[in-house]
Structures are given as C-alpha cells and as structure tokens.
Amino acid sequence: MSSNKHIGLMQDMAIFVSVVKTGSFSESARLLGVSPSAVSRAIKQLEQQLGVCLLQRTTRKLRLSETGRTVYERCLQLDDTAREVLALCESQDSSARGVVKVAAPKAVAHSLIHPYVAEFLSLYPDIDVHLVLDDQALDLIEQEIDILFRITRQPPQGLIGRSLMPIDHVLCASPDYLSRRGTPTHPKTLAQHSCISLGENDADSKWRFRQGESRLTVPVTGRYRANHSRVRLEAAEQGIGIASLPVFVAEAGIANGSIIQVLPDWEFETAYTGDLWMLYPATRHIPAKVSLFADYIVGKLGR
C-alpha cells in the first residue's frame, strides 16, 4: 500500500466505526448525514484497499469477521484519538486563557491600544497581554505575534483582518509659537518657520500637500526632529515649532487648545497615511483569547 494511501482511507475507517457502533448502514448514514449507498461504497472501498472482508452481511444484521474485529479495534482507537483532539481544541477555545501577543507601531500602541488594555485585563482575568511597540515590519509567524496592527493602504498577502480607522496627519503649533512667528497661510510660507519633522530620512523634510487637484512639495527645516509622534506633540506644545502629527495624537491637544492646526485647508500627505489594519495569520482556527481581544479593540476603534 502506498505510504500516502492511508490518508484517503481515514474517512472510510471512521464510517466503518460508525457502522459497527450502530449495527446498521441506514442508521449510520442518518447520523453522518449521507446516503446509505455512500456508506456502503465506503465500506466496500475499505475492504478492497485492505484486501480483507470486514463485515459479514445478512438480511437482518451485520457481523464483524475475525479480521474485521481486529481492524475495528484499531480504527476505534483512531476515532477516539480524533475525538480527543477535537475536545482538546474546543476546551482551549472555550477556556480563553493565556497570553495574547500584540504588535503595533509605537504611536498606535501608545495612543490607541495601550489605553484600553487595563479594562480588557479586568474583563478577562485569565488572559494576559504582551504589547510590542515597533515601527518595523514584523513577521507574525517568526515572532509568534497573534495580532498585528499596521498602517497601510493595502494589507500584505497571507494575512486576514479588517480596517479599523483612517490614519490622517495634520500640522500643529502652539498658540505661543504662532503669536511669535505668525500663522502660515500657504504651504510655501513654511520655509520661514521652524518645522518639527520625523527625521528618519531626507524625504521626511519634504512635506507634501494636496488641495483638490493641486499638489505641492515644500522643503522644510527646523532645529528639532524626532521619530516619535508623542515627542513631536510635546515639542509643539512647548513652542519649538510646527509639528507633523497623526490626527489621533493631535486631536486632544487641538480640543483643549494647547495646539492649533495650521493650513487646515490643505491635506498633508505622508508615507504613514492610510488605514489602521488589524491583521492576523490566515487560519481557519483563531484561538478564543485572540478573538476576544480583537473584538474588544474593534468595539473601541472600529468604524
């Protein structure tokens, strides 16, 4: 027998176990949700592949042959093992316990995920959370990450998930800075200002704008650069200059008046503009602990 042929026989073996347990082709077919003829074909196929007679059939009942009894005992072990595997997975799924490892860009993790972790831990005392703050593209499988948050316009292939919210960026400065240096009325006037950029590469000091069909790129300079949005926010609040910020970082400061949005009629475009996606590996089975955390975050952030 081919080394792979046993894989195709497993379903027939399970049907064989069902027939022996019920003592009837028709009753076994009813329980399995198939036709009696399908059950009969499976038993016949199993006998042909094994080269033995498993069942002795009469008009009134079925009886195991001597070889059939031995085969049945082994098949029953396979059937019991399969049920144990299902029960184990169902138990783990329903118990919802363990650690959920979550990774997100630093600003997203700090401003959008971390504030809700305490409540989640209180709601689910058997689930712990490991939050990884990293702006790099992480490998979910290699780094054993359950849920990955990423800002992108197109999620990578091989992952599934959902879009939670748009990530837009704005320019902001403190009232004190604007009273001292004036409020920009056009992107080109930013050349006269101290601008707080990301500073990771040369493109970060070339700010891009759009207004309708008009597109404009403006080189900017400043005395302070920082690759963390919370730091840029605090720098803007301290009057150092005009900072580029994600809306979710800037909105509280705009609401309380510590910073003011500048050039609101222009859309500020960055490499980090897109949607916030919640992603996880494409698998049919998602552990309960992961589903609970995902559903919880969707309830807080989902649109």
Side-chain angles (χ1 to χ4, degrees):
M1 183 181 294
S2 167
S3 60
N4 293 326
K5 192 172 292 185
H6 70 283
I7 297 176
L9 293 180
M10 286 185 176
Q11 182 175 355
D12 295 340
M13 291 177 180
I15 293 175
F16 172 56
V17 169
S18 177
V19 169
V20 175
K21 284 183 175 180
T22 62
S24 165
F25 278 63
S26 58
E27 179 62 15
S28 179
R30 187 187 68 80
L31 293 174
L32 296 173
V34 297
S35 65
S37 60
V39 172
S40 179
R41 283 195 303 271
I43 299 302
K44 183 177 181 181
Q45 179 173 289
L46 182 61
E47 290 178 324
Q48 289 175 343
Q49 291 293 336
L50 297 179
V52 297
C53 173
L54 299 173
L55 293 169
Q56 296 173 346
R57 305 163 178 83
T58 68
T59 56
R60 293 189 176 183
K61 63 180 181 178
L62 300 172
R63 188 175 65 179
L64 284 167
S65 66
E66 183 176 350
T67 303
R69 186 173 300 280
T70 302
V71 171
Y72 172 70
E73 290 174 356
R74 296 293 187 270
C75 290
L76 186 60
Q77 292 175 3
L78 287 175
D79 188 69
D80 289 341
T81 300
R83 293 178 186 274
E84 289 173 2
V85 170
L86 287 173
L88 174 64
C89 293
E90 289 172 358
S91 173
Q92 290 184 346
D93 186 70
S94 61
S95 64
R97 64 179 65 247
V99 179
V100 179
K101 189 174 182 180
V102 181
K106 295 174 183 176
V108 170
H110 185 277
S111 299
L112 298 180
I113 309 301
H114 168 69
Y116 300 115
V117 170
E119 181 183 30
F120 177 83
L121 295 176
S122 177
L123 290 172
Y124 302 101
D126 293 327
I127 304 177
D128 299 336
V129 176
H130 178 185
L131 180 58
V132 178
L133 289 74
D134 199 317
D135 291 330
Q136 303 302 312
L138 302 179
D139 187 305
L140 274 76
I141 305 301
E142 181 178 336
Q143 294 169 281
E144 299 182 329
I145 296 169
D146 295 307
I147 300 176
L148 173 67
F149 292 89
R150 180 177 293 180
I151 300 172
T152 181
R153 296 190 185 277
Q154 182 64 44
Q157 293 184 345
L159 301 179
I160 59 174
R162 63 174 292 172
S163 172
L164 297 178
M165 60 187 292
I167 302 296
D168 298 316
H169 289 70
V170 292
L171 300 179
C172 298
S174 69
D176 174 68
Y177 174 87
L178 296 176
S179 67
R180 288 186 287 108
R181 301 289 298 273
T183 300
T185 57
H186 190 277
K188 291 182 178 179
T189 61
L190 289 171
Q192 305 164 16
H193 287 267
S194 176
C195 296
I196 309 168
S197 62
L198 191 65
E200 292 188 335
N201 53 57
D202 292 341
D204 291 333
S205 62
K206 296 179 175 63
W207 286 0
R208 295 180 287 116
F209 297 87
R210 182 171 66 180
Q211 187 183 67
E213 298 299 320
S214 300
R215 282 176 167 77
L216 189 63
T217 299
V218 178
V220 298
T221 60
R223 298 184 61 196
Y224 192 39
R225 289 171 286 181
N227 67 344
H228 195 290
S229 58
R230 301 296 302 187
V231 173
R232 295 197 303 279
L233 170 64
E234 292 177 7
E237 291 175 330
Q238 293 165 4
I240 294 177
I242 299 174
S244 63
L245 299 168
V247 170
F248 65 81
V249 172
E251 56 189 359
I254 294 174
N256 65 32
S258 63
I259 54 174
I260 298 173
Q261 182 180 355
V262 301
L263 299 173
D265 295 332
W266 289 82
E267 182 180 349
F268 181 56
E269 299 181 322
T270 80
Y272 304 98
T273 299
D275 283 352
L276 176 62
W277 282 80
M278 180 175 63
L279 305 166
Y280 29 87
T283 175
R284 293 180 63 183
H285 176 75
I286 299 175
K289 61 182 181 179
V290 176
S291 295
L292 287 172
F293 188 85
D295 291 344
Y296 174 79
I297 292 298
V298 168
K300 298 297 184 180
L301 305 180
R303 56 187 177 183

